[in-house]
Amino acid sequence: MSPSLSRRSFLVGGLATTAAVTLPGGLLSAGTALAGGADPSGRLGDPFTLGVASGDPAPDGVVLWTRLAPSPLADDGLGGMPQRVIPVQWQVASDEGFRRVVQHGTEQPRPESAHSLHVELRGLQPGREYFYRFRAQGHVSPVGRTRTAPAPDSRPDALLMAFASCSQYEHGLFTAYRRMAEEQPELVLHLGDYIYEHKAGPGGFTAPIGNVRNHAGPETETLANCRQRHAQYKTDPDLQLAHAVAPWVVVWDDHEVDNNWADEIPEKPEIPQPNFLARRSAAFQAYYENMPLRRASVPQGIDLQLYRRIQWGRLTTFHMLDTRQYRSDQACGDRAQAGCAERLLPERSITGAEQERWLLDGLDRSKSTWDVLGQQVFFAQRDFDPGDPQVVSMDGWDGYKASRDRILQGFESRDVRNPVVLTGDVHRHYANDLKADFDDPSSATVGVELVTTSITSNGDGFDTTVATDNQLAENPHIRFANSQRGYVTTRFSKKQLQADFKVLPQGVRTAGSPAVTRASFVVEDGRPGLNRTT
Ligand SMILES: [Fe+2]
């Protein structure tokens, strides 16, 4: 068995079955897991019920994350933890057996941060795999695997990256996260709707064929409930596995806060939410606490700096965008509609002026073969209905046409070698050619967009629907659409990008569906546009 195969069985098997692992060498000894909360002696139960994670890899380091929560669903959001600092030791090793520990330390997670930990490592080697684990109160965490980015001027041969979005816990089991983990990606991008804000039951969010499990707590408007919701999601073993196999780079969309929120404006301005900024702050705070983000993303007032770049040598630059926090309000009252002149106004922006400048400057300076925009909402034009007039979504880039035009023109004027837009949000797979003028199919193709379907949102779904058939007929630049659950894997190399659209044919209501490749596309270096191969 090759080293990589034995590693796979160790990681996938170990994380699937148990939180505490048996450790060689006695470096850390696993304590006896107790059943939540504290035992009569005051000793905490296993505090590692939320798993481990890593994120935002740089050439010299990565962020390690965990959060202590012996009773993850506690109503106060504090996971059954006492109101005091609990020291946590951590180790980083170059081997999965922790015989070669390269760094270690102790953190002091505080109740004010829901006992979350963010260890921002420095001094690691570029382009290397590492293993990490935590210990607290005699308990040892699961082992996570992570990876540093390649050296900035290096030219790695390839990168296997997977991306995902829209994981509504009630709508299905997280089998797609498990299948994604089993592919052993080097990097995972999550493009938003990592949690959903709704309460369970009436007034909540029910999938077309019903929900398979329930959210704990009410709709998330308070810090306690946002923390509780994140904790509930993180208890899922499939999600824990996906975090433990590779570093993640995350951005939010709307449901981490409130459906279709825009900057300081809630979903439905006609239904006043006088507490919306407090709600936004609480959601941001809980998001930071529960994600492997760098200190640069510690919330400041009502803001959280989320847009940032991740560099993979000279192969790929990931420009991670935040299209929620700075956007103009949706035009013409939101929703899909025809004939809205407001959506065309040049002063409207989905990124805000500052982020737009940052993106265009970054594209200008990039020396990468592939420039990836990791972002939330549908970028290409998408006319929903046959014939005229066009019916488009006010929440995607169609509702901010001037914003989109400035980016598309930026691809051309800054000579971006291979622009690739990655998207989530719509609970369907799509593969799109990006056109200089979407209304003129003969205009130049200037880049591509890959849209991932949901992990679970909307339930099992269908291969084709009347809606997707109509959209394929009406939008020749949309080359593929599918409404099942799944994720997308991408393999970047110097010569080409290959994208495999994965779906779960047995759905998400029951466990165990395989993931199959429903369609594959290749983009050749220097030749914008999708070539279907499967
Ligand atoms: Fe979603």
Side-chain angles (χ1 to χ4, degrees), residues 165-167 192-193 196 205 253-255 425-427 454 457:
S165 78
C166 297
S167 32
D193 293 354
Y196 280 70
F205 184 12
D253 191 21
D254 53 338
H255 290 290
D425 181 51
V426 290
H427 310 165
S454 65
S457 304

Coordinates of all heavy atoms in Angstrom, one line a residue, residues 165-167 192-193 196 205 253-255 425-427 454 457, ligand 1:
S165 N -20.9 24.8 -1.7 CA -21.7 25.9 -1.1 C -23.1 25.3 -0.6 O -23.4 24.2 -1.0 CB -22.0 27.0 -2.1 OG -23.0 26.6 -3.0
C166 N -23.8 26.1 0.1 CA -25.2 25.8 0.4 C -25.5 24.4 1.1 O -25.9 23.5 0.5 CB -26.1 25.9 -0.8 SG -26.0 27.6 -1.5
S167 N -25.2 24.4 2.4 CA -25.3 23.2 3.2 C -26.4 23.4 4.2 O -26.1 23.7 5.4 CB -24.0 22.8 3.8 OG -23.2 23.9 4.1
G192 N -20.2 29.9 0.6 CA -21.3 30.6 1.3 C -22.5 29.7 1.5 O -22.7 28.7 0.9
D193 N -23.4 30.2 2.4 CA -24.5 29.5 2.9 C -24.0 28.2 3.6 O -24.5 27.1 3.4 CB -25.5 29.2 1.8 CG -26.2 30.4 1.4 OD1 -26.0 31.5 1.9 OD2 -27.0 30.3 0.4
Y196 N -27.6 28.0 7.7 CA -28.8 28.7 7.4 C -29.5 29.2 8.7 O -29.4 28.6 9.7 CB -29.8 27.8 6.6 CG -29.5 27.6 5.1 CD1 -28.3 26.9 4.7 CD2 -30.2 28.2 4.1 CE1 -28.0 26.8 3.4 CE2 -29.9 28.1 2.8 CZ -28.8 27.4 2.4 OH -28.4 27.3 1.1
F205 N -37.6 26.7 6.8 CA -37.2 26.5 5.4 C -37.3 25.0 5.2 O -36.5 24.2 5.7 CB -35.8 27.0 5.2 CG -35.3 26.9 3.8 CD1 -36.1 26.6 2.7 CD2 -33.9 27.1 3.5 CE1 -35.6 26.6 1.4 CE2 -33.4 27.1 2.2 CZ -34.3 26.8 1.2
D253 N -22.2 33.9 2.2 CA -23.2 34.5 1.3 C -24.3 35.1 2.2 O -23.9 35.7 3.3 CB -23.7 33.5 0.3 CG -24.5 34.2 -0.7 OD1 -24.4 35.4 -1.0 OD2 -25.4 33.5 -1.4
D254 N -25.5 34.9 1.9 CA -26.5 35.6 2.7 C -27.0 34.8 4.0 O -27.2 35.4 5.0 CB -27.8 35.9 1.8 CG -28.3 34.7 1.1 OD1 -27.6 33.8 0.9 OD2 -29.5 34.8 0.7
H255 N -27.1 33.5 3.9 CA -27.8 32.8 5.0 C -26.9 32.7 6.3 O -27.5 32.4 7.3 CB -28.2 31.4 4.5 CG -29.3 31.4 3.6 ND1 -30.6 31.8 3.9 CD2 -29.4 31.2 2.2 CE1 -31.4 31.8 2.8 NE2 -30.7 31.5 1.8
D425 N -24.6 29.5 -4.3 CA -25.9 30.2 -4.1 C -27.1 29.5 -4.8 O -28.2 29.5 -4.1 CB -25.8 31.6 -4.6 CG -27.1 32.4 -4.3 OD1 -27.6 32.3 -3.2 OD2 -27.6 33.0 -5.3
V426 N -27.1 29.1 -6.0 CA -28.3 28.8 -6.7 C -28.8 27.3 -6.6 O -29.8 27.0 -7.2 CB -28.2 29.2 -8.2 CG1 -28.2 30.7 -8.3 CG2 -27.0 28.6 -8.9
H427 N -28.0 26.5 -5.9 CA -28.4 25.1 -5.7 C -28.5 24.3 -7.0 O -29.3 23.4 -7.1 CB -29.8 25.0 -4.9 CG -29.8 25.9 -3.7 ND1 -30.9 26.2 -3.0 CD2 -28.8 26.5 -3.0 CE1 -30.6 27.0 -2.0 NE2 -29.3 27.2 -2.0
S454 N -25.7 22.7 -4.5 CA -25.6 22.7 -3.1 C -25.2 21.4 -2.6 O -25.3 20.3 -3.2 CB -27.0 23.0 -2.5 OG -27.9 22.0 -2.9
S457 N -29.0 21.8 0.1 CA -30.1 22.7 0.0 C -31.1 22.4 -1.1 O -30.6 22.1 -2.2 CB -29.6 24.2 -0.1 OG -28.8 24.5 0.9
Ligands
FE1 FE -28.1 28.6 -0.5

